[in-house]
Amino acid sequence: MKTVGLVLSGGGARGFAHLGVVKALNEFGIKTDIISGASAGAMMGAFIAAGRTPEEILEIAKKASFFNLSHLLFRKAGLFDMKAFEEIYLEHFPHNSFDKLPIPLNIATTDIVNCKSVYFSKGGNLAKAIMASSSIPMLFEPVELDGYMLLDGGILNNFPVEPLIGKCDKIIGVHVNSISTQVEHLHMKDMLDRSFHLSLSSSVKVKETLCDLFIEPPSMSRFGVLDIETADEIFEWGYRYTRGLQTQIDELKKQLNEH
């Protein structure tokens, strides 16, 4: 059997769609052998790599209020501290090690000093790597790790397919930031979000060609990046869209079974 790599984009609360997609892929009999993720994709990818089911991860994320900043009381210099998230990750990953994960995991971060992407895939720094990859600029302080000052991996690479090249036979990419053009009102936060993802769209289109199956649920911009209240709806949206891709997935399964 050939191996399958899974790329999970960033996207804040839209990352719940990753879980719906993975649930559908599991039902189609697609097994993931290696994962690469940025920001929300790194968060969800870590739990998937640990062997948790999509439904379990959804409940963990809702209970922990991922993407909801109201429960974070620690502040430094006007920014939120990531300590509360570190406690959550250490609770669920007590080994705190990439090497203990059943499925290999690659996490993309941004070195804000040297202006480059830095990837983590081994060693006992799992919790801090997840924190760094999801450390949104202007909200969180940079995370110090291995001599780097790190922020959200999505700043430079919101769809980190590169770590999987040459490490698996087939790549499935999941991008959860499709932009709807059916909009009645645009608030400032909407314009900032749309501008950020529009600036990344050309690079994502190039990377799409590196995937054997590219899954992009439509109109994801209608969900706010910090809107955890719609977690169940986002999960279901990703699930139902992927269930509708049976023809493409059947073709991929055929290729995986070829000798």
Side-chain angles (χ1 to χ4, degrees):
M1 178 69 75
K2 296 179 180 178
T3 56
V4 175
L6 180 66
V7 186
L8 303 176
S9 75
R14 295 172 191 149
F16 289 117
H18 288 315
L19 303 178
V21 170
V22 171
K23 177 184 177 181
L25 290 175
N26 289 344
E27 291 177 353
F28 280 121
I30 300 291
K31 174 180 173 291
T32 299
D33 299 290
I34 184 171
I35 299 170
S36 179
S39 198
M43 297 166 69
M44 302 304 172
F47 285 97
I48 295 168
R52 297 278 193 166
T53 69
E55 293 87 351
E56 288 174 336
I57 302 168
L58 177 64
E59 292 309 310
I60 290 170
K62 287 163 58 178
K63 182 179 179 180
S65 294
F66 286 166
F67 315 113
N68 187 335
L69 305 181
S70 63
H71 72 301
L72 297 180
L73 303 178
F74 309 94
R75 291 176 183 269
K76 284 186 179 179
L79 300 178
F80 288 101
D81 194 302
M82 294 291 282
K83 187 67 177 177
F85 285 115
E86 184 174 22
E87 293 171 358
I88 294 169
Y89 296 137
L90 290 178
E91 175 187 351
H92 293 284
F93 308 108
H95 51 72
N96 194 28
S97 174
F98 282 88
D99 306 322
K100 298 289 186 181
L101 296 171
I103 299 174
L105 172 68
N106 298 268
I107 288 180
T109 68
T110 299
D111 175 357
I112 200 63
V113 175
N114 297 299
C115 308
K116 64 179 183 179
S117 292
V118 177
Y119 303 96
F120 294 90
S121 61
K122 60 181 65 175
N125 52 16
L126 178 60
K128 281 192 176 294
I130 302 171
M131 290 160 56
S133 188
S134 54
S135 187
I136 303 170
M138 308 306 292
L139 284 180
F140 296 105
E141 288 192 320
V143 174
E144 294 186 44
L145 180 60
D146 289 357
Y148 299 108
M149 295 292 289
L150 303 170
L151 283 174
D152 196 303
I155 297 171
L156 287 179
N157 193 349
N158 206 38
F159 189 73
V161 67
E162 293 86 349
L164 301 188
I165 303 299
K167 294 184 179 179
C168 51
D169 297 300
K170 299 292 180 180
I171 296 177
I172 298 175
V174 187
H175 183 247
V176 295
N177 297 296
S178 57
I179 301 174
S180 173
T181 56
Q182 306 299 315
V183 180
E184 294 183 4
H185 302 287
L186 278 177
H187 300 287
M188 181 59 71
K189 65 180 179 63
D190 300 317
M191 287 188 277
L192 289 171
D193 174 52
R194 292 169 76 88
S195 297
F196 175 70
H197 287 104
L198 278 171
S199 70
L200 296 175
S201 60
S202 59
S203 65
V204 173
K205 284 297 181 184
V206 172
K207 295 181 183 185
E208 177 182 345
T209 64
L210 300 174
C211 299
D212 299 277
L213 176 63
F214 184 74
I215 300 175
E216 186 179 50
S219 303
M220 289 296 294
S221 60
R222 65 194 178 94
F223 299 113
V225 293
L226 298 176
D227 192 4
I228 193 172
E229 290 80 9
T230 59
D232 292 304
E233 184 181 353
I234 297 172
F235 179 98
E236 190 68 15
W237 188 251
Y239 171 73
R240 291 192 175 278
Y241 177 76
T242 308
R243 285 295 307 183
L245 300 177
Q246 183 164 356
T247 300
Q248 297 94 312
I249 292 173
D250 282 347
E251 175 59 29
L252 178 64
K253 289 175 65 177
K254 179 181 176 182
Q255 294 173 14
L256 288 171
N257 289 320
E258 290 176 349
H259 296 292

